[in-house]
Amino acid sequence: GAGVSQSPSNKVTEKGKDVELRCDPISGHTALYWYRQSLGQGLEFLIYFQGNSAPDKSGLPSDRFSAERTGGSVSTLTIQRTQQEDSAVYLCASSLVGRETQYFGPGTRLLVL
Amino acid sequence: KQEVTQIPAALSVPEGENLVLNCSFTDSAIYNLQWFRQDPGKGLTSLLLIQSSQREQTSGRLNASLDKSSGRSTLYIAASQPGDSATYLCAVPSGSARQLTFGSGTQLTVLP
C-alpha cells in the first residue's frame, strides 16, 4: 500500500516568508508525528497528533511554528516569518497506536535564503 | 532526559565483511528500540523494532540485540554489500507522545 507522502519535496523561500508543508499519513494510522533534521542538531521531535486529542506541541521551537491535522488524516506544518535557521529537512511519520513502529515520509527539504 | 549515542560516527568496510553498529541510551526504561536506515536525500526506512521484553530481532542479514539493563543495542550486518551503504540510526520512544529520540547515526560505506 501507499506509504507516507509529503509535499513539496523541496522548498526554497526568502527570509520572512511563510511556508506550508504537507503530510499524508498511511491510511488508517491515527498517530502522526513531525520531526526536523538539521545539520548539527540531528533529528528532533516537533509535534504529535493522536486521533481527535489535543496535539502534543512540546517540541515546537518557537511560536512561529504551528501545525494542524484535518479530519484525522492530512497534516500541515506552517512556519511563519521563516528564518535561516529554519532550513532543514522536515520529516513526517505515522503509526498505528499500539504497534509502535513509525513509518516515515521522504521529507521536505526547506531552504531559507 | 533520554540521550542516545551511536558509535562509530562513520565506518568504511570492504564488501563481504560482517560488522556491528553500536547504540547506547541513558534511560533504560524504554518501551522498545528501533533501527532505521537513511539513504542520502531520502527519508527513514524502518529496519527492525525490538520490544523491551525481547533480546534480539532478526530480518535477513540484519540482527539487532537489546540489553536494557546496560542501555545498549547493537545492529549486526552479515556479509555486507555496497547496497548497505547508508546512515543507520537508532531511536527510542520517550515522553507522553512516545516521540522518538534519535542517535546521531553511523554513516556506513561498503566498498566493492
Side-chain angles (χ1 to χ4, degrees), chain A residues 30-62:
Chain A
T30 56
L32 187 148
Y33 300 80
W34 283 97
Y35 295 87
R36 178 169 71 175
Q37 185 174 32
S38 52
L39 287 175
Q41 295 294 325
L43 268 152
E44 54 181 342
F45 164 75
L46 296 177
I47 189 169
Y48 164 70
F49 294 90
Q50 171 50 45
N52 295 320
S53 302
D56 182 331
K57 306 178 183 180
S58 60
L60 294 179
S62 78

PDB file of all heavy atoms in Angstrom, chain A residues 30-62:
ATOM      1  N   THR A  30      -3.542   6.441  13.078  1.00  0.00           N
ATOM      2  CA  THR A  30      -4.130   7.535  13.846  1.00  0.00           C
ATOM      3  C   THR A  30      -3.081   8.444  14.477  1.00  0.00           C
ATOM      4  O   THR A  30      -3.386   9.555  14.876  1.00  0.00           O
ATOM      5  CB  THR A  30      -5.033   6.972  14.963  1.00  0.00           C
ATOM      6  OG1 THR A  30      -4.264   6.085  15.782  1.00  0.00           O
ATOM      7  CG2 THR A  30      -6.211   6.215  14.367  1.00  0.00           C
ATOM      8  N   ALA A  31      -1.861   7.951  14.578  1.00  0.00           N
ATOM      9  CA  ALA A  31      -0.791   8.759  15.175  1.00  0.00           C
ATOM     10  C   ALA A  31       0.043   9.386  14.070  1.00  0.00           C
ATOM     11  O   ALA A  31       0.416   8.724  13.099  1.00  0.00           O
ATOM     12  CB  ALA A  31       0.093   7.898  16.078  1.00  0.00           C
ATOM     13  N   LEU A  32       0.351  10.673  14.222  1.00  0.00           N
ATOM     14  CA  LEU A  32       1.153  11.401  13.230  1.00  0.00           C
ATOM     15  C   LEU A  32       2.164  12.281  13.943  1.00  0.00           C
ATOM     16  O   LEU A  32       1.813  12.977  14.912  1.00  0.00           O
ATOM     17  CB  LEU A  32       0.243  12.241  12.334  1.00  0.00           C
ATOM     18  CG  LEU A  32       0.897  12.944  11.139  1.00  0.00           C
ATOM     19  CD1 LEU A  32      -0.089  13.031   9.983  1.00  0.00           C
ATOM     20  CD2 LEU A  32       1.457  14.296  11.472  1.00  0.00           C
ATOM     21  N   TYR A  33       3.396  12.237  13.497  1.00  0.00           N
ATOM     22  CA  TYR A  33       4.496  12.990  14.100  1.00  0.00           C
ATOM     23  C   TYR A  33       5.167  13.872  13.032  1.00  0.00           C
ATOM     24  O   TYR A  33       5.290  13.469  11.878  1.00  0.00           O
ATOM     25  CB  TYR A  33       5.572  12.047  14.639  1.00  0.00           C
ATOM     26  CG  TYR A  33       5.135  11.066  15.696  1.00  0.00           C
ATOM     27  CD1 TYR A  33       4.472   9.889  15.367  1.00  0.00           C
ATOM     28  CD2 TYR A  33       5.425  11.298  17.045  1.00  0.00           C
ATOM     29  CE1 TYR A  33       4.090   8.981  16.336  1.00  0.00           C
ATOM     30  CE2 TYR A  33       5.055  10.390  18.026  1.00  0.00           C
ATOM     31  CZ  TYR A  33       4.396   9.231  17.665  1.00  0.00           C
ATOM     32  OH  TYR A  33       4.028   8.334  18.635  1.00  0.00           O
ATOM     33  N   TRP A  34       5.646  15.017  13.483  1.00  0.00           N
ATOM     34  CA  TRP A  34       6.544  15.841  12.688  1.00  0.00           C
ATOM     35  C   TRP A  34       7.896  15.901  13.402  1.00  0.00           C
ATOM     36  O   TRP A  34       7.950  16.099  14.624  1.00  0.00           O
ATOM     37  CB  TRP A  34       6.013  17.267  12.521  1.00  0.00           C
ATOM     38  CG  TRP A  34       4.914  17.432  11.514  1.00  0.00           C
ATOM     39  CD1 TRP A  34       3.570  17.465  11.747  1.00  0.00           C
ATOM     40  CD2 TRP A  34       5.066  17.622  10.100  1.00  0.00           C
ATOM     41  NE1 TRP A  34       2.877  17.652  10.583  1.00  0.00           N
ATOM     42  CE2 TRP A  34       3.771  17.756   9.553  1.00  0.00           C
ATOM     43  CE3 TRP A  34       6.164  17.687   9.243  1.00  0.00           C
ATOM     44  CZ2 TRP A  34       3.544  17.962   8.189  1.00  0.00           C
ATOM     45  CZ3 TRP A  34       5.938  17.886   7.898  1.00  0.00           C
ATOM     46  CH2 TRP A  34       4.650  18.017   7.385  1.00  0.00           C
ATOM     47  N   TYR A  35       8.960  15.727  12.599  1.00  0.00           N
ATOM     48  CA  TYR A  35      10.326  15.851  13.096  1.00  0.00           C
ATOM     49  C   TYR A  35      11.080  16.801  12.176  1.00  0.00           C
ATOM     50  O   TYR A  35      10.698  17.032  11.027  1.00  0.00           O
ATOM     51  CB  TYR A  35      11.050  14.495  13.077  1.00  0.00           C
ATOM     52  CG  TYR A  35      10.506  13.438  13.999  1.00  0.00           C
ATOM     53  CD1 TYR A  35       9.463  12.589  13.588  1.00  0.00           C
ATOM     54  CD2 TYR A  35      11.033  13.257  15.272  1.00  0.00           C
ATOM     55  CE1 TYR A  35       8.973  11.607  14.427  1.00  0.00           C
ATOM     56  CE2 TYR A  35      10.549  12.263  16.112  1.00  0.00           C
ATOM     57  CZ  TYR A  35       9.521  11.447  15.679  1.00  0.00           C
ATOM     58  OH  TYR A  35       9.046  10.460  16.513  1.00  0.00           O
ATOM     59  N   ARG A  36      12.199  17.310  12.694  1.00  0.00           N
ATOM     60  CA  ARG A  36      13.056  18.164  11.889  1.00  0.00           C
ATOM     61  C   ARG A  36      14.464  17.588  11.951  1.00  0.00           C
ATOM     62  O   ARG A  36      14.945  17.195  13.030  1.00  0.00           O
ATOM     63  CB  ARG A  36      13.042  19.592  12.445  1.00  0.00           C
ATOM     64  CG  ARG A  36      13.946  20.554  11.702  1.00  0.00           C
ATOM     65  CD  ARG A  36      13.697  21.980  12.116  1.00  0.00           C
ATOM     66  NE  ARG A  36      14.156  22.288  13.454  1.00  0.00           N
ATOM     67  CZ  ARG A  36      14.128  23.513  13.982  1.00  0.00           C
ATOM     68  NH1 ARG A  36      13.668  24.522  13.252  1.00  0.00           N
ATOM     69  NH2 ARG A  36      14.549  23.717  15.210  1.00  0.00           N
ATOM     70  N   GLN A  37      15.136  17.557  10.797  1.00  0.00           N
ATOM     71  CA  GLN A  37      16.504  17.058  10.726  1.00  0.00           C
ATOM     72  C   GLN A  37      17.377  18.162  10.159  1.00  0.00           C
ATOM     73  O   GLN A  37      17.234  18.547   9.010  1.00  0.00           O
ATOM     74  CB  GLN A  37      16.587  15.813   9.845  1.00  0.00           C
ATOM     75  CG  GLN A  37      17.952  15.155   9.819  1.00  0.00           C
ATOM     76  CD  GLN A  37      17.950  13.839   9.055  1.00  0.00           C
ATOM     77  OE1 GLN A  37      17.206  13.663   8.092  1.00  0.00           O
ATOM     78  NE2 GLN A  37      18.765  12.890   9.467  1.00  0.00           N
ATOM     79  N   SER A  38      18.282  18.673  10.978  1.00  0.00           N
ATOM     80  CA  SER A  38      19.164  19.737  10.531  1.00  0.00           C
ATOM     81  C   SER A  38      20.590  19.401  10.902  1.00  0.00           C
ATOM     82  O   SER A  38      20.845  18.643  11.829  1.00  0.00           O
ATOM     83  CB  SER A  38      18.751  21.078  11.165  1.00  0.00           C
ATOM     84  OG  SER A  38      18.634  20.970  12.559  1.00  0.00           O
ATOM     85  N   LEU A  39      21.525  19.979  10.136  1.00  0.00           N
ATOM     86  CA  LEU A  39      22.944  19.749  10.396  1.00  0.00           C
ATOM     87  C   LEU A  39      23.284  20.259  11.790  1.00  0.00           C
ATOM     88  O   LEU A  39      22.914  21.369  12.166  1.00  0.00           O
ATOM     89  CB  LEU A  39      23.792  20.475   9.357  1.00  0.00           C
ATOM     90  CG  LEU A  39      23.788  19.855   7.951  1.00  0.00           C
ATOM     91  CD1 LEU A  39      24.549  20.726   6.987  1.00  0.00           C
ATOM     92  CD2 LEU A  39      24.377  18.450   7.988  1.00  0.00           C
ATOM     93  N   GLY A  40      23.975  19.429  12.529  1.00  0.00           N
ATOM     94  CA  GLY A  40      24.406  19.841  13.854  1.00  0.00           C
ATOM     95  C   GLY A  40      23.381  19.609  14.949  1.00  0.00           C
ATOM     96  O   GLY A  40      23.721  19.648  16.120  1.00  0.00           O
ATOM     97  N   GLN A  41      22.124  19.363  14.568  1.00  0.00           N
ATOM     98  CA  GLN A  41      21.072  19.119  15.564  1.00  0.00           C
ATOM     99  C   GLN A  41      20.506  17.718  15.476  1.00  0.00           C
ATOM    100  O   GLN A  41      19.795  17.278  16.356  1.00  0.00           O
ATOM    101  CB  GLN A  41      19.927  20.127  15.379  1.00  0.00           C
ATOM    102  CG  GLN A  41      20.306  21.563  15.642  1.00  0.00           C
ATOM    103  CD  GLN A  41      20.659  21.809  17.084  1.00  0.00           C
ATOM    104  OE1 GLN A  41      20.080  21.223  17.997  1.00  0.00           O
ATOM    105  NE2 GLN A  41      21.650  22.661  17.313  1.00  0.00           N
ATOM    106  N   GLY A  42      20.784  17.025  14.410  1.00  0.00           N
ATOM    107  CA  GLY A  42      20.220  15.687  14.257  1.00  0.00           C
ATOM    108  C   GLY A  42      18.722  15.757  14.062  1.00  0.00           C
ATOM    109  O   GLY A  42      18.160  16.754  13.618  1.00  0.00           O
ATOM    110  N   LEU A  43      18.055  14.677  14.420  1.00  0.00           N
ATOM    111  CA  LEU A  43      16.604  14.574  14.278  1.00  0.00           C
ATOM    112  C   LEU A  43      15.932  14.981  15.579  1.00  0.00           C
ATOM    113  O   LEU A  43      16.233  14.421  16.633  1.00  0.00           O
ATOM    114  CB  LEU A  43      16.207  13.137  13.953  1.00  0.00           C
ATOM    115  CG  LEU A  43      16.093  12.803  12.484  1.00  0.00           C
ATOM    116  CD1 LEU A  43      16.383  11.343  12.231  1.00  0.00           C
ATOM    117  CD2 LEU A  43      14.692  13.150  12.004  1.00  0.00           C
ATOM    118  N   GLU A  44      15.016  15.924  15.513  1.00  0.00           N
ATOM    119  CA  GLU A  44      14.326  16.359  16.721  1.00  0.00           C
ATOM    120  C   GLU A  44      12.819  16.370  16.509  1.00  0.00           C
ATOM    121  O   GLU A  44      12.326  16.730  15.445  1.00  0.00           O
ATOM    122  CB  GLU A  44      14.819  17.743  17.159  1.00  0.00           C
ATOM    123  CG  GLU A  44      14.738  18.793  16.082  1.00  0.00           C
ATOM    124  CD  GLU A  44      15.264  20.154  16.527  1.00  0.00           C
ATOM    125  OE1 GLU A  44      15.377  20.376  17.749  1.00  0.00           O
ATOM    126  OE2 GLU A  44      15.535  20.993  15.653  1.00  0.00           O
ATOM    127  N   PHE A  45      12.112  15.997  17.544  1.00  0.00           N
ATOM    128  CA  PHE A  45      10.653  15.934  17.542  1.00  0.00           C
ATOM    129  C   PHE A  45      10.062  17.332  17.559  1.00  0.00           C
ATOM    130  O   PHE A  45      10.558  18.227  18.258  1.00  0.00           O
ATOM    131  CB  PHE A  45      10.210  15.154  18.772  1.00  0.00           C
ATOM    132  CG  PHE A  45       8.762  15.313  19.133  1.00  0.00           C
ATOM    133  CD1 PHE A  45       7.776  14.692  18.400  1.00  0.00           C
ATOM    134  CD2 PHE A  45       8.399  16.081  20.238  1.00  0.00           C
ATOM    135  CE1 PHE A  45       6.442  14.831  18.743  1.00  0.00           C
ATOM    136  CE2 PHE A  45       7.076  16.222  20.594  1.00  0.00           C
ATOM    137  CZ  PHE A  45       6.090  15.599  19.849  1.00  0.00           C
ATOM    138  N   LEU A  46       8.996  17.530  16.802  1.00  0.00           N
ATOM    139  CA  LEU A  46       8.314  18.823  16.780  1.00  0.00           C
ATOM    140  C   LEU A  46       6.919  18.740  17.403  1.00  0.00           C
ATOM    141  O   LEU A  46       6.621  19.458  18.359  1.00  0.00           O
ATOM    142  CB  LEU A  46       8.200  19.330  15.340  1.00  0.00           C
ATOM    143  CG  LEU A  46       9.506  19.637  14.608  1.00  0.00           C
ATOM    144  CD1 LEU A  46       9.221  20.067  13.175  1.00  0.00           C
ATOM    145  CD2 LEU A  46      10.287  20.717  15.349  1.00  0.00           C
ATOM    146  N   ILE A  47       6.044  17.875  16.856  1.00  0.00           N
ATOM    147  CA  ILE A  47       4.660  17.851  17.285  1.00  0.00           C
ATOM    148  C   ILE A  47       4.055  16.478  17.004  1.00  0.00           C
ATOM    149  O   ILE A  47       4.511  15.762  16.108  1.00  0.00           O
ATOM    150  CB  ILE A  47       3.850  18.962  16.586  1.00  0.00           C
ATOM    151  CG1 ILE A  47       2.438  19.100  17.180  1.00  0.00           C
ATOM    152  CG2 ILE A  47       3.793  18.727  15.084  1.00  0.00           C
ATOM    153  CD1 ILE A  47       1.704  20.360  16.697  1.00  0.00           C
ATOM    154  N   TYR A  48       3.037  16.114  17.793  1.00  0.00           N
ATOM    155  CA  TYR A  48       2.396  14.792  17.706  1.00  0.00           C
ATOM    156  C   TYR A  48       0.889  14.957  17.719  1.00  0.00           C
ATOM    157  O   TYR A  48       0.347  15.707  18.537  1.00  0.00           O
ATOM    158  CB  TYR A  48       2.850  13.952  18.895  1.00  0.00           C
ATOM    159  CG  TYR A  48       2.045  12.713  19.208  1.00  0.00           C
ATOM    160  CD1 TYR A  48       2.072  11.603  18.365  1.00  0.00           C
ATOM    161  CD2 TYR A  48       1.278  12.644  20.372  1.00  0.00           C
ATOM    162  CE1 TYR A  48       1.368  10.459  18.679  1.00  0.00           C
ATOM    163  CE2 TYR A  48       0.562  11.493  20.682  1.00  0.00           C
ATOM    164  CZ  TYR A  48       0.614  10.404  19.842  1.00  0.00           C
ATOM    165  OH  TYR A  48      -0.088   9.256  20.138  1.00  0.00           O
ATOM    166  N   PHE A  49       0.226  14.227  16.817  1.00  0.00           N
ATOM    167  CA  PHE A  49      -1.231  14.175  16.774  1.00  0.00           C
ATOM    168  C   PHE A  49      -1.677  12.732  17.016  1.00  0.00           C
ATOM    169  O   PHE A  49      -1.107  11.801  16.451  1.00  0.00           O
ATOM    170  CB  PHE A  49      -1.759  14.605  15.399  1.00  0.00           C
ATOM    171  CG  PHE A  49      -1.505  16.044  15.055  1.00  0.00           C
ATOM    172  CD1 PHE A  49      -0.348  16.418  14.391  1.00  0.00           C
ATOM    173  CD2 PHE A  49      -2.438  17.019  15.384  1.00  0.00           C
ATOM    174  CE1 PHE A  49      -0.122  17.744  14.063  1.00  0.00           C
ATOM    175  CE2 PHE A  49      -2.213  18.345  15.047  1.00  0.00           C
ATOM    176  CZ  PHE A  49      -1.054  18.710  14.386  1.00  0.00           C
ATOM    177  N   GLN A  50      -2.698  12.565  17.833  1.00  0.00           N
ATOM    178  CA  GLN A  50      -3.284  11.246  18.045  1.00  0.00           C
ATOM    179  C   GLN A  50      -4.802  11.384  17.989  1.00  0.00           C
ATOM    180  O   GLN A  50      -5.404  11.952  18.889  1.00  0.00           O
ATOM    181  CB  GLN A  50      -2.838  10.667  19.380  1.00  0.00           C
ATOM    182  CG  GLN A  50      -3.566   9.382  19.810  1.00  0.00           C
ATOM    183  CD  GLN A  50      -3.610   8.329  18.726  1.00  0.00           C
ATOM    184  OE1 GLN A  50      -2.621   8.055  18.071  1.00  0.00           O
ATOM    185  NE2 GLN A  50      -4.777   7.744  18.519  1.00  0.00           N
ATOM    186  N   GLY A  51      -5.375  10.856  16.934  1.00  0.00           N
ATOM    187  CA  GLY A  51      -6.818  10.879  16.775  1.00  0.00           C
ATOM    188  C   GLY A  51      -7.359  12.295  16.899  1.00  0.00           C
ATOM    189  O   GLY A  51      -6.848  13.223  16.273  1.00  0.00           O
ATOM    190  N   ASN A  52      -8.383  12.443  17.710  1.00  0.00           N
ATOM    191  CA  ASN A  52      -9.007  13.749  17.907  1.00  0.00           C
ATOM    192  C   ASN A  52      -8.512  14.457  19.157  1.00  0.00           C
ATOM    193  O   ASN A  52      -9.055  15.499  19.544  1.00  0.00           O
ATOM    194  CB  ASN A  52     -10.527  13.593  17.986  1.00  0.00           C
ATOM    195  CG  ASN A  52     -11.108  13.090  16.682  1.00  0.00           C
ATOM    196  OD1 ASN A  52     -10.685  13.505  15.607  1.00  0.00           O
ATOM    197  ND2 ASN A  52     -12.070  12.177  16.773  1.00  0.00           N
ATOM    198  N   SER A  53      -7.482  13.892  19.795  1.00  0.00           N
ATOM    199  CA  SER A  53      -6.959  14.504  21.013  1.00  0.00           C
ATOM    200  C   SER A  53      -6.179  15.774  20.692  1.00  0.00           C
ATOM    201  O   SER A  53      -5.728  15.980  19.565  1.00  0.00           O
ATOM    202  CB  SER A  53      -6.037  13.522  21.741  1.00  0.00           C
ATOM    203  OG  SER A  53      -6.701  12.325  22.050  1.00  0.00           O
ATOM    204  N   ALA A  54      -6.027  16.615  21.708  1.00  0.00           N
ATOM    205  CA  ALA A  54      -5.214  17.825  21.542  1.00  0.00           C
ATOM    206  C   ALA A  54      -3.785  17.422  21.220  1.00  0.00           C
ATOM    207  O   ALA A  54      -3.238  16.494  21.807  1.00  0.00           O
ATOM    208  CB  ALA A  54      -5.254  18.657  22.820  1.00  0.00           C
ATOM    209  N   PRO A  55      -3.150  18.099  20.262  1.00  0.00           N
ATOM    210  CA  PRO A  55      -1.792  17.714  19.876  1.00  0.00           C
ATOM    211  C   PRO A  55      -0.779  18.004  20.977  1.00  0.00           C
ATOM    212  O   PRO A  55      -0.958  18.906  21.788  1.00  0.00           O
ATOM    213  CB  PRO A  55      -1.522  18.584  18.638  1.00  0.00           C
ATOM    214  CG  PRO A  55      -2.443  19.744  18.768  1.00  0.00           C
ATOM    215  CD  PRO A  55      -3.658  19.223  19.456  1.00  0.00           C
ATOM    216  N   ASP A  56       0.291  17.225  20.968  1.00  0.00           N
ATOM    217  CA  ASP A  56       1.433  17.461  21.855  1.00  0.00           C
ATOM    218  C   ASP A  56       2.401  18.372  21.104  1.00  0.00           C
ATOM    219  O   ASP A  56       3.070  17.927  20.180  1.00  0.00           O
ATOM    220  CB  ASP A  56       2.089  16.133  22.219  1.00  0.00           C
ATOM    221  CG  ASP A  56       3.266  16.292  23.173  1.00  0.00           C
ATOM    222  OD1 ASP A  56       3.944  17.348  23.152  1.00  0.00           O
ATOM    223  OD2 ASP A  56       3.527  15.350  23.933  1.00  0.00           O
ATOM    224  N   LYS A  57       2.491  19.624  21.504  1.00  0.00           N
ATOM    225  CA  LYS A  57       3.295  20.628  20.811  1.00  0.00           C
ATOM    226  C   LYS A  57       4.628  20.888  21.498  1.00  0.00           C
ATOM    227  O   LYS A  57       5.298  21.890  21.219  1.00  0.00           O
ATOM    228  CB  LYS A  57       2.539  21.957  20.736  1.00  0.00           C
ATOM    229  CG  LYS A  57       1.156  21.863  20.122  1.00  0.00           C
ATOM    230  CD  LYS A  57       0.486  23.225  20.142  1.00  0.00           C
ATOM    231  CE  LYS A  57      -0.930  23.162  19.601  1.00  0.00           C
ATOM    232  NZ  LYS A  57      -1.588  24.484  19.607  1.00  0.00           N
ATOM    233  N   SER A  58       5.002  19.994  22.392  1.00  0.00           N
ATOM    234  CA  SER A  58       6.143  20.262  23.263  1.00  0.00           C
ATOM    235  C   SER A  58       7.465  20.433  22.525  1.00  0.00           C
ATOM    236  O   SER A  58       8.399  21.019  23.072  1.00  0.00           O
ATOM    237  CB  SER A  58       6.273  19.159  24.311  1.00  0.00           C
ATOM    238  OG  SER A  58       6.462  17.898  23.681  1.00  0.00           O
ATOM    239  N   GLY A  59       7.566  19.965  21.284  1.00  0.00           N
ATOM    240  CA  GLY A  59       8.817  20.069  20.550  1.00  0.00           C
ATOM    241  C   GLY A  59       8.915  21.275  19.636  1.00  0.00           C
ATOM    242  O   GLY A  59       9.980  21.525  19.054  1.00  0.00           O
ATOM    243  N   LEU A  60       7.862  22.028  19.490  1.00  0.00           N
ATOM    244  CA  LEU A  60       7.912  23.184  18.586  1.00  0.00           C
ATOM    245  C   LEU A  60       8.919  24.208  19.114  1.00  0.00           C
ATOM    246  O   LEU A  60       8.851  24.601  20.268  1.00  0.00           O
ATOM    247  CB  LEU A  60       6.542  23.817  18.443  1.00  0.00           C
ATOM    248  CG  LEU A  60       5.478  22.956  17.749  1.00  0.00           C
ATOM    249  CD1 LEU A  60       4.143  23.686  17.697  1.00  0.00           C
ATOM    250  CD2 LEU A  60       5.923  22.556  16.348  1.00  0.00           C
ATOM    251  N   PRO A  61       9.848  24.668  18.271  1.00  0.00           N
ATOM    252  CA  PRO A  61      10.934  25.527  18.742  1.00  0.00           C
ATOM    253  C   PRO A  61      10.516  26.967  19.029  1.00  0.00           C
ATOM    254  O   PRO A  61      11.195  27.660  19.781  1.00  0.00           O
ATOM    255  CB  PRO A  61      11.951  25.469  17.601  1.00  0.00           C
ATOM    256  CG  PRO A  61      11.150  25.129  16.398  1.00  0.00           C
ATOM    257  CD  PRO A  61      10.024  24.265  16.861  1.00  0.00           C
ATOM    258  N   SER A  62       9.448  27.439  18.418  1.00  0.00           N
ATOM    259  CA  SER A  62       9.003  28.811  18.674  1.00  0.00           C
ATOM    260  C   SER A  62       7.544  28.941  18.254  1.00  0.00           C
ATOM    261  O   SER A  62       6.982  28.030  17.640  1.00  0.00           O
ATOM    262  CB  SER A  62       9.868  29.805  17.880  1.00  0.00           C
ATOM    263  OG  SER A  62       9.472  29.851  16.524  1.00  0.00           O
TER     264      SER A  62
END
